[in-house]
């Protein structure tokens, strides 16, 4: 084989691997390699494609990157009307539906069903020609939608290609699939949390965020939002159509689509039980579901029943009870976050929403209160979706008595009393007092948290106790705490105090990324902290970095770079670092390497070494392999992945040849690990 053929083979291999890992990560939620390894595969593919642009195909994983922005969406005629669903709000509604359609076709009496959760997202219509995703549209009015192909391509759960050969269930030459794009409740909260810390406007709910994100003229914006997808229908298909909804869902799964979960129901009674099941499970679903969709399993029968207006007779949305209620807004409280952002929250007359008593709800930000003209004493609509913090939708103006009081944001910090400030271009108000106790508590809570220094047993309650007692004025003070200090506080027995002190002292060994996360620099979460640690290698280097050095790192823009510079230039933070260093809390890169930062490229691979190596001693070679996630054993067996061969190899080489085990030179071994 010539070099070109080899390279092309590698290109195809890389695409296949990346697709496999995308599927594991985004569809099955079961990643099998680290982000770092994934990035390496991706970088290699990008590199080959940059050398050979003629080899780029539209389904290459690199083609998910955001293309150019446009000034409007093109209109697309749907191949068939994209139908909606009629609703039922109780069991009688379902029985009425069943009776109605039984009268039209007596086969319904003995019909079976499939029940699926009704995802509260937005419909998308996905066209695949010859196995390639060629076009995607929003629902629009059901007849004409908007072309959002470029945006949809950025959604990693969406397959850019589906198998048309080499598969047990090849897809037909043309198929149009329908699904729902949404943001998981967890991702929604994370997104809002980040925005809030950055002083930016938060989103009001997951559905609008998903819809707004997909309908962006600049695909780069869509790409930055955590959109995902589940499919549930085939709108059109060239070739054999599935007979049942069950078959349809199985086909979609076999083609690599993420598919909505479902329950098969042999009769109407089990349909009602399936509804109860999903109602019960509602809070455990990753997304907001607003009902269960009941579908006749027999697709032909469903089609023959026809359509009323825009609603097919063969399916029904059985809605869950709304999780929006009204209650009285008793007062508005204000929280002070880690970065000093002030966030208003509603104090409510307690009210039950879907089995949970709600007393507080978020009011997003002060602009929201002003825009909605929310007044203290108002009746307000509150919504609770899944585990997302309940939020206020707005006031009921018609219920006003005239006694409601307009709200004025505080001029001073509710925790420390200092004047609050507003920065140009941001919606948030900040307490800029670095010594504000509320901020200190939040900062410490962050410092000890699981993703940062991971100090077991320490949470906001205990940290608050330390601050209130005057024991701790910054994170470094934690390391000076003694058992006797804690014993003086309420609720500490000998053992508990001892455990906490031990956990604090042990955290001195945490690695550099965790330490960087713990500093609580705006915009520096797990990913950025890892990048900084890898790039600069030590805290001392990071402290001396210039804005240009920082922006050299992919993914770090001017805002984060400036936030990092500002953080290290703040005298109070410099003081904190000095103290931490003095107390021996100063991670070094050496430890990092041994921990987890090396890309685990050898994960799952077993190596045997034979002969004398040039660069490494045996022990060093073993360390090197283990550091990258591999295992080293003494003898060659069928479980050996590679034999590393040095000068004067022994009999192991013969054995490896007999077992057809590939060999590597020392240089090849190092190259595989990217060194
Ligand atoms: S089936 C003819 N299944 O609910 C097929 N729709 O109110 C009709 N939806 O516009 C759709 N989850 O966007 C179907 N499992 C599911 C669904 C689902 C969410 C949405 C869909 C539709 C709306 C109807």
């Amino acid at each position: 084989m010539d070099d070109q053929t080899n390279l092309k083979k590698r290109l195809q291999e890389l695409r296949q691997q990346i697709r496999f890992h995308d599927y594991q990560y985004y569809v099955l939620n079961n990643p099998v390699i680290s982000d770092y390894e994934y990035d390496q595969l991706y970088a290699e593919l990008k590199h080959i494609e940059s050398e050979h642009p003629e080899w780029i195909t539209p389904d290459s994983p690199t083609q998910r990157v955001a293309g150019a922005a446009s000034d409007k969406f093109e209109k697309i005629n749907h191949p068939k009307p994209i139908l909606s669903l009629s609703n039922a709000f109780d069991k009688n509604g379902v029985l009425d539906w069943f009776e109605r359609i039984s009268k039209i076709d007596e086969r319904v009496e003995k019909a079976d069903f499939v029940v699926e959760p009704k995802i509260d997202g937005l419909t998308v219509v996905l066209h695949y020609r010859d196995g390639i995703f060629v076009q995607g549209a929003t629902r629009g009015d059901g007849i004409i939608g908007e072309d959002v192909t470029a945006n949809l391509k950025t959604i990693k759960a969406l397959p850019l290609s589906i198998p048309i050969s080499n598969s047990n269930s090849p897809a037909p030459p043309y198929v149009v699939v329908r699904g729902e794009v949404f943001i998981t409740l967890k991702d929604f909260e994370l997104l809002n949390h980040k925005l809030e810390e950055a002083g930016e406007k938060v989103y009001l709910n997951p559905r609008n965020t998903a819809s707004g994100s997909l309908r962006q003229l600049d695909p780069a914006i869509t790409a930055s939002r955590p959109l995902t997808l589940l499919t549930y229908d085939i709108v059109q298909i060239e070739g054999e159509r599935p007979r049942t909804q069950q078959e349809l869902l199985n086909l979609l799964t076999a083609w690599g689509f993420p598919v909505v979960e479902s329950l098969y129901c042999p009769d109407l009674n089990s349909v009602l039980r399936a509804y109860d099941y999903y109602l019960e499970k509602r809070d455990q679903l990753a997304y907001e579901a607003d009902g269960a969709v009941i579908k006749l399993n027999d697709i032909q029968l469903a089609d023959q029943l026809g359509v009323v207006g825009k609603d097919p007779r063969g399916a029904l949305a059985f809605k869950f009870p709304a999780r929006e209620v009204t209650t009285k807004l008793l007062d508005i409280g204000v929280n002070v976050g880690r970065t000093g952002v002030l966030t208003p929250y509603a104090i409510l007359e307690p009210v039950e929403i879907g089995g949970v008593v709600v007393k507080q709800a978020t009011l997003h930000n002060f602009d929201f209160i002003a825009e909605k003209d929310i007044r203290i004493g108002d009746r307000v609509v509150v919504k609770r979706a899944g585990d997302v913090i309940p939020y206020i939708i707005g006031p009921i103006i018609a219920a006003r008595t005239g006694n409601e009081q307009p709200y004025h944001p505080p001029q001073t910090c509710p925790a420390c009393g200092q004047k609050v400030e507003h920065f140009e271009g941001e919606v948030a108000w900040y307490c800029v007092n670095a010594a504000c106790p509320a901020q200190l508590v939040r900062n410490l809570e962050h410092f000890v948290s699981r993703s940062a220094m991971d100090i077991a047993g320490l949470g906001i309650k205990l940290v608050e106790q330390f601050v209130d007692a005057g024991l701790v004025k910054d994170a470094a003070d934690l390391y000076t705490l003694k058992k006797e200090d804690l014993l003086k506080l309420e609720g500490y027995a000998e053992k508990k105090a001892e455990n906490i002190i031990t956990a604090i002292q042990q955290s001195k060994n945490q690695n550099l990324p965790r330490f960087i996360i713990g500093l609580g620099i705006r915009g520096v979460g797990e990913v950025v902290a890892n990048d900084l640690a890898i790039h600069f290698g030590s805290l001392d280097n990071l402290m001396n970095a210039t804005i240009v050095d920082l922006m050299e790192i992919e993914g770090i823009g001017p805002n984060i770079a400036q936030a990092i510079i500002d953080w290290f230039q703040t005298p109070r933070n410099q003081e904190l670092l000095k103290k931490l260093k003095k107390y021996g809390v100063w991670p070094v890169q050496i430890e990092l390497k041994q921990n987890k930062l090396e890309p685990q490229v050898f994960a799952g691979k077993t190596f045997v070494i034979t002969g004398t190596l040039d660069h490494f001693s045996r022990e060093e070679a073993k360390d090197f392999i283990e550091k990258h996630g591999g295992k080293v054993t003494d003898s060659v067996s069928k479980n050996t992945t590679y034999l590393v061969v040095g000068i004067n190899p022994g009999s192991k080489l013969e054995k490896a040849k007999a077992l057809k085990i590939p060999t590597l030179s020392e240089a090849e071994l190092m190259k595989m690990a990217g060194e």
Side-chain angles (χ1 to χ4, degrees):
M1 259 193 278
D2 62 13
D3 282 356
Q4 289 268 322
T5 324
N6 269 334
L7 197 62
K8 204 152 188 184
K9 215 174 126 213
R10 177 70 187 147
L11 171 101
Q12 263 140 13
E13 207 174 86
L14 284 166
R15 284 182 185 163
Q16 223 166 32
Q17 282 183 16
I18 294 171
R19 271 184 209 127
F20 168 79
H21 292 303
D22 278 345
Y23 185 76
Q24 290 291 327
Y25 190 102
Y26 294 101
V27 179
L28 304 182
N29 292 321
N30 179 31
V32 289
I33 56 170
S34 69
D35 290 358
Y36 196 98
E37 290 165 86
Y38 179 92
D39 290 347
Q40 284 191 324
L41 295 174
Y42 192 88
E44 190 183 343
L45 174 62
K46 264 296 296 181
H47 178 72
I48 302 180
E49 288 185 349
S50 69
E51 307 255 294
H52 291 277
E54 73 281 7
W55 290 349
I56 300 177
T57 52
D59 66 325
S60 169
T62 58
Q63 300 309 294
R64 288 194 192 276
V65 291
S70 55
D71 51 12
K72 69 172 182 17
F73 294 117
E74 296 299 326
K75 300 277 181 234
I76 291 186
N77 274 311
H78 294 306
K80 262 194 202 163
I82 300 302
L83 300 172
S84 185
L85 290 171
S86 56
N87 292 324
F89 297 94
D90 52 27
K91 290 195 174 164
N92 283 335
V94 179
L95 299 178
D96 288 349
W97 165 74
F98 183 73
E99 207 174 297
R100 267 197 318 274
I101 59 172
S102 301
K103 277 191 192 138
I104 300 175
D105 192 318
E106 62 186 19
R107 283 178 296 169
V108 172
E109 297 270 7
K110 293 209 171 59
D112 54 355
F113 305 85
V114 168
V115 176
E116 300 159 8
K118 183 169 180 300
I119 308 153
D120 195 13
L122 61 144
T123 289
V124 288
V125 182
L126 314 166
H127 298 236
Y128 288 80
R129 200 171 280 288
D130 298 324
I132 306 288
F133 173 62
V134 286
Q135 195 169 55
T138 59
R139 180 172 183 275
D141 63 3
I143 307 295
I144 297 173
E146 285 172 330
D147 183 346
V148 285
T149 313
N151 292 350
L152 283 167
K153 275 188 168 181
T154 67
I155 301 178
K156 295 266 182 63
L158 180 146
L160 292 181
S161 60
I162 56 178
I164 45 168
S165 56
N166 294 333
S167 153
N168 292 335
S169 10
Y174 182 60
V175 61
V176 182
V177 172
R178 174 171 177 177
E180 203 80 356
V181 163
F182 60 96
I183 293 183
T184 66
L185 295 167
K186 202 166 132 223
D187 280 339
F188 175 73
E189 288 230 302
L190 274 174
L191 184 67
N192 264 356
H193 187 66
K194 273 197 218 145
L195 290 169
E196 188 185 312
E197 278 194 349
E200 287 174 34
K201 221 170 182 153
V202 292
Y203 294 106
L204 300 188
N205 66 60
R207 208 204 99 86
N208 288 358
T209 315
S211 161
S213 303
L214 187 65
R215 297 188 65 261
Q216 287 287 336
L217 289 166
D218 182 356
I221 299 179
T222 311
S224 72
R225 307 274 169 80
L227 293 175
T228 188
L229 168 81
L230 283 172
T231 58
Y232 49 75
D233 200 13
I234 293 178
V235 176
Q236 203 174 41
I237 183 166
E238 225 172 81
E240 201 183 332
R241 293 189 337 145
R243 268 186 335 100
T244 63
Q245 178 66 10
Q246 264 181 311
E247 263 179 36
L248 182 152
L249 297 176
N250 287 339
L251 267 183
L252 290 175
T253 307
W255 295 338
F257 285 97
V259 177
V260 70
E261 64 171 281
S262 63
L263 284 174
Y264 171 75
C265 301
D267 54 32
L268 195 63
N269 261 332
S270 56
V271 163
L272 298 177
R273 283 201 300 275
Y275 170 84
D276 289 339
Y277 169 80
Y278 283 125
L279 181 58
E280 179 105 342
K281 203 182 167 191
R282 191 178 186 187
D283 277 344
Q284 276 104 284
L285 293 172
Y287 44 83
E288 166 74 346
D290 57 347
V293 185
I294 307 169
K295 299 177 178 180
L296 279 174
N297 194 25
D298 183 336
I299 291 177
Q300 203 185 25
L301 173 58
D303 280 352
Q304 284 169 359
L305 285 170
V307 173
V308 194
K310 286 179 178 173
D311 306 333
R313 286 200 182 85
L316 181 73
F318 186 0
K319 301 292 285 267
F320 291 149
R323 292 205 287 199
E324 276 177 38
V325 301
T326 69
T327 187
K328 190 170 172 184
L329 176 65
L330 300 176
D331 203 354
I332 293 179
V334 175
N335 267 326
V336 186
R338 178 161 63 82
T339 52
V341 177
L342 268 52
T343 316
Y345 63 92
I347 300 167
L348 302 167
E349 203 164 77
V351 61
E352 198 196 297
I353 315 180
V356 174
V357 176
V358 173
K359 296 182 203 152
Q360 289 189 356
T362 178
L363 279 161
H364 309 295
N365 51 54
F366 297 114
D367 278 12
F368 177 78
I369 300 176
E371 275 161 25
K372 295 271 174 180
D373 183 22
I374 295 170
R375 303 182 187 179
I376 293 167
D378 262 337
R379 276 209 85 74
V380 287
V381 182
V382 192
K383 175 155 182 158
R384 184 179 76 88
D387 284 335
V388 174
I389 299 165
Y391 55 91
I392 300 292
I393 294 190
I396 304 172
I397 310 275
R400 284 205 173 137
T401 60
N403 293 329
E404 296 76 16
Q405 298 299 317
Y407 175 75
H408 303 289
Q411 311 265 300
T412 54
C413 170
C416 70
Q418 292 233 2
K419 209 168 165 296
V420 295
E421 286 188 25
H422 191 170
F423 301 117
E424 178 101 24
E426 294 191 9
V427 291
W429 285 85
Y430 286 89
C431 166
V432 292
N433 171 17
C436 169
Q439 278 182 64
L440 174 59
V441 169
R442 295 277 175 196
N443 262 313
L444 289 171
E445 181 196 13
H446 175 75
F447 184 80
V448 304
S449 70
R450 211 176 262 176
S451 65
M453 299 301 268
D454 193 19
I455 305 182
L458 264 192
I460 190 158
K461 288 242 162 63
L462 299 194
V463 157
E464 212 161 12
Q465 234 182 337
F466 298 164
V467 173
D468 286 349
L471 288 172
V472 169
K473 297 208 164 47
D474 61 26
D477 290 345
L478 288 171
Y479 295 92
T480 62
L481 286 175
K482 288 188 232 28
K483 196 168 79 179
E484 299 73 55
D485 295 328
L486 303 196
L487 288 174
K488 282 186 213 135
L489 301 175
E490 210 184 300
Y492 284 86
E494 187 86 10
K495 190 77 198 147
K496 179 174 168 189
E498 211 169 278
N499 287 347
I500 292 209
I501 299 292
T502 312
I504 293 175
Q505 292 303 322
Q506 273 173 355
S507 74
K508 285 183 175 171
N509 299 327
Q510 287 296 15
N511 63 25
L512 184 55
R514 284 178 171 278
F515 184 92
I516 298 173
I517 296 171
L519 299 179
I521 305 169
R522 242 207 275 170
V524 181
E526 242 162 279
V527 176
V528 175
N530 254 310
D531 290 346
L532 290 171
I534 293 173
H535 191 88
F536 292 104
S538 74
L539 207 56
D540 297 277
N541 289 344
L542 174 61
M543 283 166 73
N544 293 325
T546 64
I547 194 149
V548 178
D549 298 337
L550 288 163
M551 280 172 58
E552 258 172 28
I553 303 175
E554 208 182 305
I556 298 195
N559 290 344
I560 296 183
Q562 192 58 51
I564 297 170
I565 297 281
D566 290 350
W567 197 93
F568 283 106
Q569 279 178 359
T570 304
R572 199 185 152 81
N573 295 335
Q574 288 172 348
E575 185 58 29
L576 168 72
L577 290 174
K578 226 193 257 166
K579 281 170 73 180
L580 284 167
K581 193 169 196 173
K582 191 167 119 201
Y583 302 147
V585 196
W586 203 255
V588 282
Q589 176 71 357
I590 308 300
E591 284 176 24
L592 270 173
K593 284 206 168 186
Q594 282 159 359
N595 283 337
K596 62 165 212 185
L597 267 185
E598 289 296 345
Q600 303 289 294
V601 279
F602 296 153
K605 300 191 171 82
T606 305
F607 294 75
V608 176
I609 306 170
T610 182
T612 312
L613 303 178
D614 214 19
H615 178 78
F616 290 130
S617 71
R618 273 290 171 92
E619 263 318 297
E620 283 167 351
K622 189 163 178 261
D623 279 353
F624 179 80
I625 292 169
E626 286 173 352
K627 214 166 61 183
H628 289 87
K631 212 167 92 182
V632 179
T633 60
D634 282 335
S635 55
V636 174
S637 75
K638 63 179 190 341
N639 297 328
T640 308
T641 322
Y642 292 109
L643 178 70
V644 181
V645 183
I647 305 160
N648 291 332
S651 61
K652 289 176 189 168
L653 181 59
E654 299 307 314
K655 188 156 181 206
K657 276 186 183 155
L659 290 172
K660 295 204 167 61
I661 287 166
T663 58
L664 290 177
S665 68
E666 193 180 5
E668 282 169 330
L669 174 78
M670 288 166 72
K671 205 166 149 211
M672 264 176 102
E675 294 206 5

